[in-house]
Each structure stands twice: as C-alpha cells, then as structure tokens.
Amino acid sequence: MRAWGEQRVGDSECAAWLALYEWARSDAAGGADARTAVQAALSALLSPSEAVLSFASTGRLWPPPYRTSVTRLERFAWCPFQHFAAGGLRLEPRAVHELAPLHMGLLYHAILEQFVNELMETGRTLRDLPDAEIAASLWRLSHLAVPAFAEQVRLEEREKRKAVWRSGKELPPAVAGQQKGIGGTPLQSVATEQAFGGDEPDDLPALELHTPGGRVVLVRGKIDRIDILRAGEVSLAVVLDYKRSKSLRLRLDEVYHGLALQLLAYLLVLRDHGERVAGTKIVPGGTFYVPLLGEFAQVAHPTAAD
C-alpha cells in the first residue's frame, strides 16, 4: 500500500501507474503530437525552484529587532510564501461583512475573560459553582458583551440575536466541561488575556529568540488564561487556550516541525517572566486547549430543533 497524493492505492495499481509513467517518458509514446502533450504534462511534475530572499531584503521587509507572533511563526513553518505574502507584502484578504467564526471566537474570549475575572474577584473557583449558576452568569455576561461587540464589528440586529443565542448555547456546556476536569483541582485562576511583548504597562516582556544569523526576534502574543497552584516559594502554572474546536490536539510532531508552537511558547514566557503574574517563581506544569463548542442534540424532525 502506497500513498498517491491524498489517496492510498494498492501495490498492483501503483505498479500500473508507474509503468504508464515510464511509457510516457519513452520515445515510443505515440506520435509527435502525443509526445508534445505528454512532455508538457510531465514538466508539471517537476518541483519549482526554491525562491530565497537576500539577507538585505529580509532586513528591509522585517527591520530588526523583528516583532512577530507565535501564529506567524507557525505560518512560516507551514508555508513560507504565505508568511511572505501576509507578513512581508502586508496582503490582506478581502473584507466580507458577516458573522464569521473569528468574530464568535473574539466574543467568547471577552465573555470568558469577564467570567473568570469575577471568579478571581470573589475568590471562588469553578468547583464552587453549580451548573445553573454557571449558565445564568454566562447568559448575563453574553447580554452585556454582545451590544458593545456588535457596535465594534457593525453587526446587524439579527446577527446580534444570533450571537447571544449561540453564546448561551455553547458556553455553558463548555465551561461545565472545564468544571468536570480542571475545575476539580486546587488550581486557581490568576490572569486572563495576559499579553506579552506589547507596549502596555501590564504586558509581560516578549519571548526573545536569536536566529543563526545573529538577529533578534521578539515574539508577542496573549495568553487566554493562567491557573496556578502555589507550592511554597514557587507556583505550578497551567495555561489554558480557548479554541472553537473540539478536535484540536497538541501533537509533538507538529511541535517539532514548528506547526504548533503557541502553547509551549506561552509556557516559556511564564517560565521567564511569570513571577510578575503570580508573585512567585513559576514552574510550567501543563497546557491545554479548551474547546468552546457544545454537543449537538439529536432531534426527530427539524421543527423540533431549538
């Protein structure tokens, strides 16, 4: 069994395709017209030559010290040309007026930030809250957050109602899931939406990287939530990153190839500068993706759907 593009084919089928390919490369492949067409098709199989920016051009596009984000580093590892188009040429996708998943993600972050901040102000944790109180609190915060958010992104009235409905449906079960997991531990939240590498007084310093060429890269970002467990003179820290996905996992092969650096970069920032958040030396303890999607409910007929 071998991989062929995005599909898997058997050895016999693979052998047939390879035989056809060798025939197409031979001089016996049809007449002159056929050979011309075959050669044009085969030329498309050649890998394009690799384009490389000069050291001087790189310095002009990204003046040192280069300030970037973890997401951009991941984009570069995934596709250098996409990074060049977005970060070098500053190209942006065409603006479309719609309630996009990105908008809902930003709204959910704002609601959960206030939800966790209220817990920190009262000294409570998730394990202290019954499900009904969690749902009521999130419903209240959704109604407070949506009007300001709708004005910011210019949502229409029907989109505002949709945003309130979706947040009321998805956030309570998502937080209840957290309560059954990390909510049962002694961890306590100490910070939400903690920025690093920015210009605000409360921001933590940037994560500093040094390239083989001697340049300095300053990585900025924002940590959704930091929970700690105090243990004498140090604190064990856990980072939680909210995602509107239920299937996302931290895969070490993706970390190795630079495709999933976000969570580990957050832990490095806390290791180096977390004392400003916790008041004690930080020992990175773990990191989690937290899904912000509820389960789908099965109904017998579309008219029975909420």
Side-chain angles (χ1 to χ4, degrees):
M1 187 75 71
R2 299 187 183 184
W4 191 281
E6 295 295 329
Q7 300 178 348
R8 310 276 300 178
V9 298
D11 290 339
S12 60
E13 187 178 354
C14 182
W17 279 107
L18 290 176
L20 178 61
Y21 170 74
E22 291 299 331
W23 173 84
R25 293 175 62 241
S26 69
D27 294 334
D33 292 341
R35 281 197 297 272
T36 300
V38 168
Q39 293 301 320
L42 293 180
S43 66
L45 299 178
L46 298 176
S47 300
S49 58
E50 184 177 354
V52 179
L53 290 174
S54 68
F55 196 77
S57 297
T58 303
R60 286 193 292 269
L61 284 173
W62 296 283
Y66 176 46
R67 297 181 180 273
T68 187
S69 66
V70 181
T71 302
R72 287 188 176 184
L73 292 179
E74 293 174 345
R75 179 190 293 160
F76 177 78
W78 182 265
C79 177
F81 182 78
Q82 187 183 74
H83 177 273
F84 167 70
L89 301 181
R90 313 297 197 268
L91 302 182
E92 296 182 359
R94 186 186 301 273
V96 178
H97 183 70
E98 64 177 356
L99 186 58
L102 174 62
H103 293 146
M104 294 304 300
L106 294 174
L107 174 61
Y108 286 5
H109 276 69
I111 295 171
L112 289 174
E113 178 184 8
Q114 185 58 35
F115 176 78
V116 177
N117 285 343
E118 290 185 359
L119 289 180
M120 291 190 294
E121 290 171 0
T122 58
R124 305 174 75 187
T125 64
L126 277 178
R127 63 179 178 272
D128 301 324
L129 302 181
D131 289 348
E133 186 174 349
I134 290 175
S137 179
L138 291 170
W139 185 254
R140 171 179 57 84
L141 293 174
S142 297
H143 280 78
L144 292 175
V146 167
F149 182 78
E151 183 177 352
Q152 179 183 354
V153 299
R154 294 181 172 83
L155 295 183
E156 298 177 357
E157 188 61 34
R158 62 179 180 82
E159 293 174 323
K160 289 171 57 176
R161 293 195 299 269
K162 181 180 179 181
V164 171
W165 180 86
R166 287 180 61 178
S167 59
K169 283 292 180 182
E170 292 183 334
L171 287 181
V175 174
Q178 296 178 43
Q179 185 186 43
K180 292 178 175 62
I182 200 170
T185 72
L187 290 166
Q188 286 191 314
S189 300
V190 294
T192 60
E193 302 298 320
Q194 177 62 61
F196 60 91
D199 299 322
E200 298 299 323
D202 294 335
D203 292 354
L204 297 179
L207 177 62
E208 187 171 311
L209 306 178
H210 297 267
T211 71
R215 287 181 170 166
V216 176
V217 179
L218 301 178
V219 182
R220 65 176 180 270
K222 186 177 289 186
I223 305 173
D224 291 344
R225 186 171 124 204
I226 304 169
D227 286 12
I228 66 169
L229 174 62
R230 300 189 186 277
E233 298 180 354
V234 300
S235 293
L236 186 72
V238 171
V239 165
L240 291 90
D241 192 61
Y242 300 134
K243 296 294 184 185
R244 296 196 70 254
S245 169
K246 298 189 68 177
S247 60
L248 195 60
R249 298 290 186 272
L250 181 61
R251 295 177 45 179
L252 294 184
D253 57 337
E254 293 183 348
V255 173
Y256 178 82
H257 291 288
L259 304 175
L261 303 175
Q262 192 176 40
L263 296 182
L264 300 186
Y266 294 165
L267 291 181
L268 291 177
V269 171
L270 290 182
R271 181 199 64 182
D272 296 339
H273 310 292
E275 187 172 353
R276 290 178 48 176
V277 176
T280 61
K281 179 178 175 58
I282 288 290
V283 176
T287 179
F288 301 95
Y289 289 124
V290 179
L292 299 182
L293 292 176
E295 296 284 354
F296 287 104
Q298 185 173 355
V299 294
H301 189 271
T303 57
D306 183 359

